[in-house]
Amino acid sequence: MSIKAEYIWIDGTQPTPKLRSKTKILADAGSLPRWGFDGSSTNQAEGHSSDLVLDPVFSCPDPIRGGAHLLVLCEVLNTDLTPHSSNTRALLRPVAERFAAQEPIFGIEQEYTFLKGDRPLGFPEGGGFPAPQGGYYCGVGAGEIFGREIVETHLDRCLAAGLGLSGINAEVMPGQWEFQVGALAPLVVSDHMWVARWLLHRTAEEHGVTASLDAKPAQGDWNGAGAHTNFSTRAMREGYDPIITACEALGEGDKPLEHVRQYGTGIEERLTGAHETAPWNAYSYGASDRGASVRIPWQVEVEKKGYIEDRRPNANVDPYVVTRLIVDTCCTELERRAQV
């Protein structure tokens, strides 16, 4: 029986890359060959030298086509098989390997907004605005919730694909939702997040709706959309001092600006100091503080062990980038402290 393998990759669109995919027919699922594509059509090459390579790095069952069909996530390589400049996974890999002994893991909370045309679901089609924020977060009922059918289908598909989703919930703005991936190792959580995003876009497409990862999909007194990133190492899961060390490492010197510049497009519009955010250009951390850059959850402070939540990443952040930055910054300092 022929296998339909949907090859998925991240393109070179700026400032926010897009997902692309195409189908390869295989005789069986025993091996996943490299494949090629036209990089001049994906903002990754010039027309006079447009061939690029898709290198499979993760595969899972295709929950849309069913059967033995597959989703295949790929890295983009040049024709000499070196990583393409848009290949951020290749930059994460050596950092994850270097600090693997510290056992870093992540849980990423992916917020997103359903749009019908250019308006969030739940906003009046003829213009104007719905009731103010208040009843939508984790709400129930047709007056509060918009798009649940899409959300439930997406969740079922992610679970059928074997992706590491750990939950879903309605968010603060109408038509805004969240799913969580993890806790998993850096490369794994990032691979699962990209495939879960592809399934989100693909599922919303069937309903004539856009799943937007814009950081501020509605201007005015409405929450933006983030990708709060929860992080721990083995030492942090066993004691409180490493948690403080990680928080302080993220705030040292130029690190705050280095991180937020790579935490997604539109960071200044979302991180304003309002709507449960800290200002983009000021770093802070604190227990139970959703207005801080980095939050220490209350149970972590009580139990004196656990994890931290970096609340700065945008919904459109590249998970390969955010996990690399956090591992490199925090694990470098934790390693240095352990050697003193």
Side-chain angles (χ1 to χ4, degrees), residues 112 114 147-159 168 177 203:
Y112 59 94
F114 288 132
R148 192 185 295 277
E149 180 182 359
I150 308 172
V151 172
E152 292 290 343
T153 302
H154 173 251
L155 174 61
D156 288 344
R157 287 175 170 178
C158 286
L159 295 177
I168 61 171
W177 293 82
T203 302

Side-chain angles (χ1 to χ4, degrees), residues 233-249:
T233 63
R234 183 180 66 254
M236 294 166 67
R237 296 188 290 273
E238 295 175 351
Y240 198 67
D241 286 347
I243 287 171
I244 299 302
T245 295
C247 290
E248 292 179 347

